[in-house]
Amino acid sequence: MKKQKIIVSAIALISLFNLTACGYNRENPSGKVKTTLKVALVPGTGGVNDRSFNQSAWEGLQDWGKENNLKKGRGYNYYQSNSDSEYITNYNSAEQAGYKLLFGIGYSLQDATTIAAKNNPDSNFVIIDSVIKSQKNVASATFADNEAAYLAGVAAAKASKTNKIGFIGGMDSDIVTHFEKGYIAGAKSIKPNIQVKVQYSGTFTDAAKTKTIAAAMYSSGNDVIFQCAGNAGSGAFNEAKSLNNNRKESDKVWLIGVDQDQKYLGKYTSKDGKKSNFVLVSTIKEVGEVVKDISEKTKNNKFPREEVIKYDLKNGGVSLGLDNVTSEIKNSIIQAKEKIVSGKIIVPEK
């Protein structure tokens, strides 16, 4: 009889443990899961390690997941596509796996997001960097990229010794054009006669193409280049590093980062043995913060359905990383930012 009681008690303890564990993350037993909402990203083909747009989104989702004591694959995840044709399939796979808030990272997912949202009316979708109208389960998040690019143009014009600067875009699109036009306007506000060489690589993934374009620009005297080419932008970084490794610190060429603070990619050792960095500034698009913001709202039953949310300099949705600017350049940037926020400067998009 005593033996039977011991066995019953042991079973009861095991059952109690299993019930309790349901409310906890088994890989993080000290933290109780704070939400049943499961969130997934479908990034662009550049992947979540593109050191740019997609990576920022993924880092934001990871932060949100950790804040809610979730684990990858159990409360948040991403579904990688090797081509545009896989976007809808990945949306459907995520939805079937129980992910009810799904983010499409980039304008290239607009069509796929529209279709997936119609096919899955009980789930919520967010398109980043584009707009989908009149769908009750879709929210749109856009950015004033032209405003941050304007500040980058101010920095480029002030830093240039040759009065020649460059812009390298990836795919030719409205989004990238916003960067281009803002950059040119900012540069010309400082030096009206500055030359701005513009070229598009036609890709967000082919780093070799971007490297070739950067090499041609630098060799023709453009001593500051703003690259807006996604994962392909790594080619411009490789070219800038190669050139600067063989130059004196005083003769360096500059590169401007995009979407996240890319200063960490600009480290090099000059020909005269000095440790330095060639990233002048970085335009920052707070994609990760947007992912966190909308995920938290949805968790609290406040999904911004059918809303188009604009993130700009005023609300902190875009900003500029002052990576290696002088105090003089910094002051010029601050003054320009104040005028944009106040409305005294209207930055062009086209």
Side-chain angles (χ1 to χ4, degrees), residues 248-303:
K248 292 182 178 180
E249 162 68 7
S250 58
D251 297 326
K252 76 163 69 174
V253 293
W254 294 102
L255 193 67
I256 293 174
V258 71
D259 290 339
Q260 66 170 198
D261 196 334
Q262 295 184 315
K263 181 181 179 180
Y264 68 100
L265 296 173
K267 298 176 182 177
Y268 76 100
T269 302
S270 66
K271 186 177 181 180
D272 41 354
K274 295 181 179 179
K275 299 288 184 182
S276 191
N277 194 294
F278 58 77
V279 177
L280 180 64
V281 293
S282 296
T283 61
I284 300 171
K285 187 183 304 199
E286 300 290 357
V287 187
E289 293 302 315
V290 171
V291 170
K292 289 171 64 177
D293 178 49
I294 297 179
S295 295
E296 194 65 15
K297 286 176 179 175
T298 306
K299 165 189 161 183
N300 294 318
N301 298 314
K302 295 180 180 179
F303 177 73

Side-chain angles (χ1 to χ4, degrees), residues 28 44 49-50 66 103 143 152 166 173 184 194 199 217 286 303:
N28 183 18
N49 295 313
D50 65 351
K66 290 171 185 176
F103 287 85
F143 299 85
S173 65
I184 293 172
I194 196 168
Q199 190 168 344
M217 284 189 178
E286 300 290 357
F303 177 73

Side-chain angles (χ1 to χ4, degrees), residues 27 37 48 82 101 112 125 146 204 214 281 299 312 347:
E27 294 180 43
L37 177 66
V48 295
N82 294 315
L101 177 60
F125 292 77
N146 55 320
F204 286 126
V281 293
K299 165 189 161 183
D312 55 19
V347 183

